[in-house]
Amino acid sequence: MKIFKIKQFFRNAKYRVSLIFSFPHFWICILIILLAIVSLWISHALYRSHQDFLSSIFANIFAGLVTGLIICLLSGVKQFYITKLKNKKNWLEHIRTMVSDYIDLYHKLAEKQFTTFDGTEELFNFIYDVGSHANWINDDILQSTFDKSLSFNPREYCKKYLNYDAYALVDEFSKLHDYLYEVDINFPSKKDILCYFEKVHKNLMRLHSNAYRQLRDIEIRLQEAEKSII
């Protein structure tokens, strides 16, 4: 597992580096740095030759280029931070929408009028659909880990900030799937069916609540970052 993580880290790092090198503004930044170095060298050479006036001109050029570069870097870091926050915000909104869809279906199941499963295809499809929506959430988090458009690792982010370990819950979701697949064979009661969802439902509700808190925090950070003059 550790070897896989290391390989994945270097693979992602290589992709990020190649992506940065493909940006035209990266090469403009390199050009500005080279021009600044050349200006400093010329200024120093002219100063040693006692051509103070010309030396001061190139020194000013060097100072201007460095100042402009620093301003661009500050602006770039700020924009990178904002983009990263927006990236997390969009992903969290996507996950919360998926969980909300599941919660709506779960509530409909809890309110549905039946004592035991009656063997009808319509009821089976509805129960199975509720379970499928739950599974899709966990699968989406795990699969998002391989999404190169994201600036973070969703599985690790959920585990660290949302108290939701998608990988550790794989077995629970598998059990839920197996239980629901056999509903039409076992004819369980409504209470039993809801019990099948208990562990999964508890974790998804916590994910939904924690994702909401993270979204509020990100929105505050975005507002402050966008208003900041630095």
mmCIF file of all heavy atoms in Angstrom, residues 148-182:
data_model
loop_
_atom_site.group_PDB
_atom_site.id
_atom_site.type_symbol
_atom_site.label_atom_id
_atom_site.label_comp_id
_atom_site.label_asym_id
_atom_site.label_seq_id
_atom_site.Cartn_x
_atom_site.Cartn_y
_atom_site.Cartn_z
ATOM 1 N N LYS A 148 -7.386 13.891 -12.119
ATOM 2 C CA LYS A 148 -6.236 14.794 -12.177
ATOM 3 C C LYS A 148 -6.636 16.264 -12.219
ATOM 4 O O LYS A 148 -5.789 17.137 -12.050
ATOM 5 C CB LYS A 148 -5.377 14.455 -13.402
ATOM 6 C CG LYS A 148 -4.696 13.098 -13.299
ATOM 7 C CD LYS A 148 -3.824 12.820 -14.505
ATOM 8 C CE LYS A 148 -3.109 11.475 -14.378
ATOM 9 N NZ LYS A 148 -2.271 11.172 -15.553
ATOM 10 N N SER A 149 -7.915 16.535 -12.437
ATOM 11 C CA SER A 149 -8.362 17.929 -12.453
ATOM 12 C C SER A 149 -8.526 18.484 -11.040
ATOM 13 O O SER A 149 -8.654 19.701 -10.859
ATOM 14 C CB SER A 149 -9.692 18.056 -13.210
ATOM 15 O OG SER A 149 -10.739 17.388 -12.506
ATOM 16 N N LEU A 150 -8.520 17.605 -10.034
ATOM 17 C CA LEU A 150 -8.658 18.035 -8.645
ATOM 18 C C LEU A 150 -7.293 18.381 -8.060
ATOM 19 O O LEU A 150 -6.295 17.717 -8.358
ATOM 20 C CB LEU A 150 -9.323 16.942 -7.805
ATOM 21 C CG LEU A 150 -10.766 16.581 -8.180
ATOM 22 C CD1 LEU A 150 -11.261 15.403 -7.346
ATOM 23 C CD2 LEU A 150 -11.689 17.782 -7.984
ATOM 24 N N SER A 151 -7.268 19.400 -7.224
ATOM 25 C CA SER A 151 -6.009 19.860 -6.621
ATOM 26 C C SER A 151 -5.738 19.201 -5.273
ATOM 27 O O SER A 151 -4.840 19.631 -4.549
ATOM 28 C CB SER A 151 -6.062 21.384 -6.440
ATOM 29 O OG SER A 151 -7.153 21.740 -5.595
ATOM 30 N N PHE A 152 -6.504 18.183 -4.927
ATOM 31 C CA PHE A 152 -6.354 17.494 -3.649
ATOM 32 C C PHE A 152 -6.792 16.043 -3.804
ATOM 33 O O PHE A 152 -7.379 15.660 -4.822
ATOM 34 C CB PHE A 152 -7.186 18.187 -2.561
ATOM 35 C CG PHE A 152 -8.673 18.149 -2.833
ATOM 36 C CD1 PHE A 152 -9.497 17.263 -2.172
ATOM 37 C CD2 PHE A 152 -9.248 19.004 -3.768
ATOM 38 C CE1 PHE A 152 -10.860 17.222 -2.423
ATOM 39 C CE2 PHE A 152 -10.614 18.971 -4.039
ATOM 40 C CZ PHE A 152 -11.414 18.079 -3.354
ATOM 41 N N ASN A 153 -6.484 15.236 -2.785
ATOM 42 C CA ASN A 153 -6.894 13.832 -2.783
ATOM 43 C C ASN A 153 -8.206 13.713 -2.012
ATOM 44 O O ASN A 153 -8.207 13.851 -0.782
ATOM 45 C CB ASN A 153 -5.807 12.976 -2.125
ATOM 46 C CG ASN A 153 -6.106 11.491 -2.208
ATOM 47 O OD1 ASN A 153 -7.203 11.038 -1.895
ATOM 48 N ND2 ASN A 153 -5.123 10.707 -2.626
ATOM 49 N N PRO A 154 -9.336 13.479 -2.686
ATOM 50 C CA PRO A 154 -10.641 13.449 -2.014
ATOM 51 C C PRO A 154 -10.744 12.436 -0.872
ATOM 52 O O PRO A 154 -11.337 12.735 0.168
ATOM 53 C CB PRO A 154 -11.609 13.080 -3.153
ATOM 54 C CG PRO A 154 -10.930 13.564 -4.372
ATOM 55 C CD PRO A 154 -9.477 13.301 -4.141
ATOM 56 N N ARG A 155 -10.188 11.251 -1.064
ATOM 57 C CA ARG A 155 -10.293 10.230 -0.012
ATOM 58 C C ARG A 155 -9.568 10.678 1.251
ATOM 59 O O ARG A 155 -10.090 10.565 2.364
ATOM 60 C CB ARG A 155 -9.723 8.893 -0.505
ATOM 61 C CG ARG A 155 -9.905 7.753 0.501
ATOM 62 C CD ARG A 155 -9.418 6.439 -0.072
ATOM 63 N NE ARG A 155 -7.980 6.406 -0.245
ATOM 64 C CZ ARG A 155 -7.117 6.125 0.743
ATOM 65 N NH1 ARG A 155 -7.555 5.877 1.972
ATOM 66 N NH2 ARG A 155 -5.824 6.097 0.510
ATOM 67 N N GLU A 156 -8.349 11.200 1.092
ATOM 68 C CA GLU A 156 -7.581 11.677 2.248
ATOM 69 C C GLU A 156 -8.224 12.923 2.853
ATOM 70 O O GLU A 156 -8.204 13.108 4.074
ATOM 71 C CB GLU A 156 -6.141 11.958 1.833
ATOM 72 C CG GLU A 156 -5.369 10.695 1.450
ATOM 73 C CD GLU A 156 -3.947 10.994 1.007
ATOM 74 O OE1 GLU A 156 -3.564 12.190 1.002
ATOM 75 O OE2 GLU A 156 -3.216 10.040 0.670
ATOM 76 N N TYR A 157 -8.774 13.775 1.998
ATOM 77 C CA TYR A 157 -9.443 14.988 2.480
ATOM 78 C C TYR A 157 -10.661 14.627 3.338
ATOM 79 O O TYR A 157 -10.870 15.213 4.405
ATOM 80 C CB TYR A 157 -9.872 15.835 1.291
ATOM 81 C CG TYR A 157 -10.596 17.109 1.662
ATOM 82 C CD1 TYR A 157 -9.889 18.226 2.106
ATOM 83 C CD2 TYR A 157 -11.981 17.196 1.560
ATOM 84 C CE1 TYR A 157 -10.545 19.400 2.451
ATOM 85 C CE2 TYR A 157 -12.651 18.362 1.904
ATOM 86 C CZ TYR A 157 -11.927 19.455 2.344
ATOM 87 O OH TYR A 157 -12.589 20.610 2.686
ATOM 88 N N CYS A 158 -11.456 13.669 2.859
ATOM 89 C CA CYS A 158 -12.642 13.230 3.610
ATOM 90 C C CYS A 158 -12.246 12.621 4.957
ATOM 91 O O CYS A 158 -12.894 12.865 5.973
ATOM 92 C CB CYS A 158 -13.442 12.211 2.801
ATOM 93 S SG CYS A 158 -14.372 12.925 1.444
ATOM 94 N N LYS A 159 -11.196 11.839 4.931
ATOM 95 C CA LYS A 159 -10.741 11.179 6.155
ATOM 96 C C LYS A 159 -10.232 12.192 7.173
ATOM 97 O O LYS A 159 -10.521 12.069 8.384
ATOM 98 C CB LYS A 159 -9.643 10.166 5.820
ATOM 99 C CG LYS A 159 -9.187 9.337 7.008
ATOM 100 C CD LYS A 159 -8.138 8.305 6.575
ATOM 101 C CE LYS A 159 -7.679 7.471 7.768
ATOM 102 N NZ LYS A 159 -6.658 6.463 7.356
ATOM 103 N N LYS A 160 -9.503 13.193 6.713
ATOM 104 C CA LYS A 160 -8.870 14.152 7.611
ATOM 105 C C LYS A 160 -9.825 15.241 8.083
ATOM 106 O O LYS A 160 -9.831 15.602 9.271
ATOM 107 C CB LYS A 160 -7.665 14.793 6.916
ATOM 108 C CG LYS A 160 -6.873 15.737 7.805
ATOM 109 C CD LYS A 160 -5.628 16.248 7.080
ATOM 110 C CE LYS A 160 -4.814 17.178 7.988
ATOM 111 N NZ LYS A 160 -3.585 17.668 7.300
ATOM 112 N N TYR A 161 -10.658 15.757 7.184
ATOM 113 C CA TYR A 161 -11.478 16.924 7.516
ATOM 114 C C TYR A 161 -12.970 16.616 7.684
ATOM 115 O O TYR A 161 -13.683 17.398 8.316
ATOM 116 C CB TYR A 161 -11.319 17.997 6.430
ATOM 117 C CG TYR A 161 -9.926 18.570 6.359
ATOM 118 C CD1 TYR A 161 -9.031 18.144 5.381
ATOM 119 C CD2 TYR A 161 -9.497 19.531 7.270
ATOM 120 C CE1 TYR A 161 -7.746 18.669 5.316
ATOM 121 C CE2 TYR A 161 -8.216 20.057 7.207
ATOM 122 C CZ TYR A 161 -7.346 19.619 6.222
ATOM 123 O OH TYR A 161 -6.076 20.128 6.163
ATOM 124 N N LEU A 162 -13.437 15.513 7.114
ATOM 125 C CA LEU A 162 -14.873 15.219 7.171
ATOM 126 C C LEU A 162 -15.200 14.004 8.031
ATOM 127 O O LEU A 162 -16.360 13.592 8.109
ATOM 128 C CB LEU A 162 -15.419 15.005 5.749
ATOM 129 C CG LEU A 162 -15.146 16.126 4.739
ATOM 130 C CD1 LEU A 162 -15.771 15.809 3.397
ATOM 131 C CD2 LEU A 162 -15.665 17.463 5.261
ATOM 132 N N ASN A 163 -14.162 13.422 8.643
ATOM 133 C CA ASN A 163 -14.341 12.249 9.505
ATOM 134 C C ASN A 163 -15.078 11.134 8.762
ATOM 135 O O ASN A 163 -15.974 10.483 9.294
ATOM 136 C CB ASN A 163 -15.115 12.643 10.771
ATOM 137 C CG ASN A 163 -15.053 11.566 11.846
ATOM 138 O OD1 ASN A 163 -14.147 10.722 11.848
ATOM 139 N ND2 ASN A 163 -16.020 11.570 12.745
ATOM 140 N N TYR A 164 -14.672 10.935 7.503
ATOM 141 C CA TYR A 164 -15.310 9.912 6.663
ATOM 142 C C TYR A 164 -14.215 9.158 5.914
ATOM 143 O O TYR A 164 -13.542 9.734 5.053
ATOM 144 C CB TYR A 164 -16.279 10.567 5.682
ATOM 145 C CG TYR A 164 -17.032 9.584 4.816
ATOM 146 C CD1 TYR A 164 -18.249 9.062 5.217
ATOM 147 C CD2 TYR A 164 -16.508 9.179 3.590
ATOM 148 C CE1 TYR A 164 -18.938 8.151 4.422
ATOM 149 C CE2 TYR A 164 -17.189 8.275 2.794
ATOM 150 C CZ TYR A 164 -18.394 7.763 3.214
ATOM 151 O OH TYR A 164 -19.069 6.861 2.426
ATOM 152 N N ASP A 165 -14.050 7.876 6.259
ATOM 153 C CA ASP A 165 -13.021 7.041 5.634
ATOM 154 C C ASP A 165 -13.669 6.134 4.584
ATOM 155 O O ASP A 165 -14.199 5.068 4.905
ATOM 156 C CB ASP A 165 -12.303 6.207 6.697
ATOM 157 C CG ASP A 165 -11.038 5.544 6.157
ATOM 158 O OD1 ASP A 165 -10.911 5.437 4.925
ATOM 159 O OD2 ASP A 165 -10.187 5.140 6.973
ATOM 160 N N ALA A 166 -13.641 6.583 3.337
ATOM 161 C CA ALA A 166 -14.309 5.855 2.253
ATOM 162 C C ALA A 166 -13.731 4.460 2.061
ATOM 163 O O ALA A 166 -14.464 3.503 1.792
ATOM 164 C CB ALA A 166 -14.207 6.649 0.949
ATOM 165 N N TYR A 167 -12.418 4.347 2.198
ATOM 166 C CA TYR A 167 -11.773 3.050 1.989
ATOM 167 C C TYR A 167 -12.164 2.054 3.074
ATOM 168 O O TYR A 167 -12.437 0.888 2.803
ATOM 169 C CB TYR A 167 -10.256 3.228 1.955
ATOM 170 C CG TYR A 167 -9.500 1.971 1.580
ATOM 171 C CD1 TYR A 167 -9.440 1.557 0.254
ATOM 172 C CD2 TYR A 167 -8.868 1.204 2.551
ATOM 173 C CE1 TYR A 167 -8.764 0.393 -0.094
ATOM 174 C CE2 TYR A 167 -8.188 0.051 2.215
ATOM 175 C CZ TYR A 167 -8.135 -0.349 0.892
ATOM 176 O OH TYR A 167 -7.471 -1.507 0.559
ATOM 177 N N ALA A 168 -12.214 2.517 4.330
ATOM 178 C CA ALA A 168 -12.563 1.641 5.449
ATOM 179 C C ALA A 168 -14.026 1.206 5.392
ATOM 180 O O ALA A 168 -14.395 0.167 5.966
ATOM 181 C CB ALA A 168 -12.281 2.343 6.777
ATOM 182 N N LEU A 169 -14.863 1.978 4.691
ATOM 183 C CA LEU A 169 -16.300 1.681 4.627
ATOM 184 C C LEU A 169 -16.679 0.809 3.428
ATOM 185 O O LEU A 169 -17.861 0.501 3.256
ATOM 186 C CB LEU A 169 -17.101 2.988 4.576
ATOM 187 C CG LEU A 169 -17.152 3.785 5.883
ATOM 188 C CD1 LEU A 169 -17.706 5.180 5.629
ATOM 189 C CD2 LEU A 169 -18.009 3.057 6.911
ATOM 190 N N VAL A 170 -15.721 0.433 2.634
ATOM 191 C CA VAL A 170 -16.009 -0.391 1.451
ATOM 192 C C VAL A 170 -16.743 -1.673 1.838
ATOM 193 O O VAL A 170 -17.722 -2.074 1.190
ATOM 194 C CB VAL A 170 -14.707 -0.726 0.685
ATOM 195 C CG1 VAL A 170 -14.971 -1.822 -0.349
ATOM 196 C CG2 VAL A 170 -14.162 0.517 -0.004
ATOM 197 N N ASP A 171 -16.293 -2.329 2.908
ATOM 198 C CA ASP A 171 -16.929 -3.582 3.353
ATOM 199 C C ASP A 171 -18.374 -3.349 3.776
ATOM 200 O O ASP A 171 -19.248 -4.184 3.504
ATOM 201 C CB ASP A 171 -16.141 -4.202 4.514
ATOM 202 C CG ASP A 171 -14.816 -4.793 4.065
ATOM 203 O OD1 ASP A 171 -14.674 -5.046 2.852
ATOM 204 O OD2 ASP A 171 -13.936 -4.995 4.916
ATOM 205 N N GLU A 172 -18.636 -2.230 4.456
ATOM 206 C CA GLU A 172 -20.000 -1.933 4.906
ATOM 207 C C GLU A 172 -20.926 -1.727 3.718
ATOM 208 O O GLU A 172 -22.080 -2.187 3.723
ATOM 209 C CB GLU A 172 -20.006 -0.675 5.793
ATOM 210 C CG GLU A 172 -19.328 -0.848 7.140
ATOM 211 C CD GLU A 172 -19.997 -1.909 8.006
ATOM 212 O OE1 GLU A 172 -21.207 -2.135 7.856
ATOM 213 O OE2 GLU A 172 -19.284 -2.529 8.814
ATOM 214 N N PHE A 173 -20.444 -1.058 2.700
ATOM 215 C CA PHE A 173 -21.262 -0.836 1.507
ATOM 216 C C PHE A 173 -21.468 -2.146 0.736
ATOM 217 O O PHE A 173 -22.529 -2.356 0.144
ATOM 218 C CB PHE A 173 -20.618 0.224 0.608
ATOM 219 C CG PHE A 173 -20.873 1.628 1.064
ATOM 220 C CD1 PHE A 173 -19.962 2.288 1.872
ATOM 221 C CD2 PHE A 173 -22.029 2.293 0.705
ATOM 222 C CE1 PHE A 173 -20.182 3.580 2.303
ATOM 223 C CE2 PHE A 173 -22.268 3.590 1.131
ATOM 224 C CZ PHE A 173 -21.347 4.236 1.937
ATOM 225 N N SER A 174 -20.463 -3.003 0.750
ATOM 226 C CA SER A 174 -20.590 -4.313 0.102
ATOM 227 C C SER A 174 -21.641 -5.161 0.820
ATOM 228 O O SER A 174 -22.447 -5.843 0.174
ATOM 229 C CB SER A 174 -19.244 -5.046 0.103
ATOM 230 O OG SER A 174 -18.301 -4.357 -0.685
ATOM 231 N N LYS A 175 -21.626 -5.110 2.152
ATOM 232 C CA LYS A 175 -22.633 -5.846 2.932
ATOM 233 C C LYS A 175 -24.034 -5.334 2.632
ATOM 234 O O LYS A 175 -24.976 -6.117 2.480
ATOM 235 C CB LYS A 175 -22.341 -5.695 4.435
ATOM 236 C CG LYS A 175 -21.133 -6.468 4.931
ATOM 237 C CD LYS A 175 -20.903 -6.200 6.417
ATOM 238 C CE LYS A 175 -19.621 -6.856 6.909
ATOM 239 N NZ LYS A 175 -19.358 -6.520 8.343
ATOM 240 N N LEU A 176 -24.172 -4.016 2.571
ATOM 241 C CA LEU A 176 -25.467 -3.420 2.257
ATOM 242 C C LEU A 176 -25.961 -3.892 0.901
ATOM 243 O O LEU A 176 -27.138 -4.259 0.743
ATOM 244 C CB LEU A 176 -25.360 -1.892 2.283
ATOM 245 C CG LEU A 176 -26.616 -1.122 1.861
ATOM 246 C CD1 LEU A 176 -27.771 -1.395 2.815
ATOM 247 C CD2 LEU A 176 -26.330 0.386 1.782
ATOM 248 N N HIS A 177 -25.073 -3.899 -0.079
ATOM 249 C CA HIS A 177 -25.428 -4.358 -1.422
ATOM 250 C C HIS A 177 -25.903 -5.801 -1.400
ATOM 251 O O HIS A 177 -26.922 -6.157 -2.029
ATOM 252 C CB HIS A 177 -24.232 -4.205 -2.356
ATOM 253 C CG HIS A 177 -24.482 -4.712 -3.737
ATOM 254 N ND1 HIS A 177 -24.232 -6.021 -4.111
ATOM 255 C CD2 HIS A 177 -24.966 -4.083 -4.854
ATOM 256 C CE1 HIS A 177 -24.546 -6.183 -5.370
ATOM 257 N NE2 HIS A 177 -24.988 -5.031 -5.855
ATOM 258 N N ASP A 178 -25.192 -6.651 -0.672
ATOM 259 C CA ASP A 178 -25.558 -8.074 -0.590
ATOM 260 C C ASP A 178 -26.896 -8.258 0.107
ATOM 261 O O ASP A 178 -27.725 -9.076 -0.325
ATOM 262 C CB ASP A 178 -24.470 -8.861 0.155
ATOM 263 C CG ASP A 178 -23.160 -8.914 -0.618
ATOM 264 O OD1 ASP A 178 -23.184 -8.696 -1.846
ATOM 265 O OD2 ASP A 178 -22.109 -9.167 0.014
ATOM 266 N N TYR A 179 -27.104 -7.515 1.186
ATOM 267 C CA TYR A 179 -28.383 -7.605 1.916
ATOM 268 C C TYR A 179 -29.551 -7.234 1.011
ATOM 269 O O TYR A 179 -30.556 -7.933 0.946
ATOM 270 C CB TYR A 179 -28.378 -6.657 3.124
ATOM 271 C CG TYR A 179 -27.513 -7.085 4.281
ATOM 272 C CD1 TYR A 179 -26.898 -6.134 5.097
ATOM 273 C CD2 TYR A 179 -27.305 -8.440 4.582
ATOM 274 C CE1 TYR A 179 -26.091 -6.516 6.159
ATOM 275 C CE2 TYR A 179 -26.498 -8.826 5.641
ATOM 276 C CZ TYR A 179 -25.893 -7.858 6.429
ATOM 277 O OH TYR A 179 -25.107 -8.237 7.486
ATOM 278 N N LEU A 180 -29.404 -6.113 0.307
ATOM 279 C CA LEU A 180 -30.496 -5.619 -0.524
ATOM 280 C C LEU A 180 -30.737 -6.504 -1.743
ATOM 281 O O LEU A 180 -31.871 -6.632 -2.223
ATOM 282 C CB LEU A 180 -30.206 -4.184 -0.975
ATOM 283 C CG LEU A 180 -30.067 -3.151 0.160
ATOM 284 C CD1 LEU A 180 -29.858 -1.760 -0.421
ATOM 285 C CD2 LEU A 180 -31.285 -3.169 1.061
ATOM 286 N N TYR A 181 -29.694 -7.137 -2.218
ATOM 287 C CA TYR A 181 -29.836 -8.028 -3.370
ATOM 288 C C TYR A 181 -30.655 -9.263 -3.011
ATOM 289 O O TYR A 181 -31.315 -9.864 -3.867
ATOM 290 C CB TYR A 181 -28.456 -8.442 -3.881
ATOM 291 C CG TYR A 181 -28.482 -9.083 -5.241
ATOM 292 C CD1 TYR A 181 -28.635 -8.302 -6.390
ATOM 293 C CD2 TYR A 181 -28.370 -10.468 -5.387
ATOM 294 C CE1 TYR A 181 -28.681 -8.891 -7.641
ATOM 295 C CE2 TYR A 181 -28.410 -11.060 -6.634
ATOM 296 C CZ TYR A 181 -28.560 -10.267 -7.768
ATOM 297 O OH TYR A 181 -28.598 -10.843 -9.005
ATOM 298 N N GLU A 182 -30.623 -9.626 -1.727
ATOM 299 C CA GLU A 182 -31.335 -10.824 -1.277
ATOM 300 C C GLU A 182 -32.680 -10.507 -0.626
ATOM 301 O O GLU A 182 -33.316 -11.379 -0.043
ATOM 302 C CB GLU A 182 -30.461 -11.593 -0.285
ATOM 303 C CG GLU A 182 -29.185 -12.138 -0.932
ATOM 304 C CD GLU A 182 -28.234 -12.771 0.083
ATOM 305 O OE1 GLU A 182 -28.543 -12.692 1.294
ATOM 306 O OE2 GLU A 182 -27.211 -13.333 -0.337
#
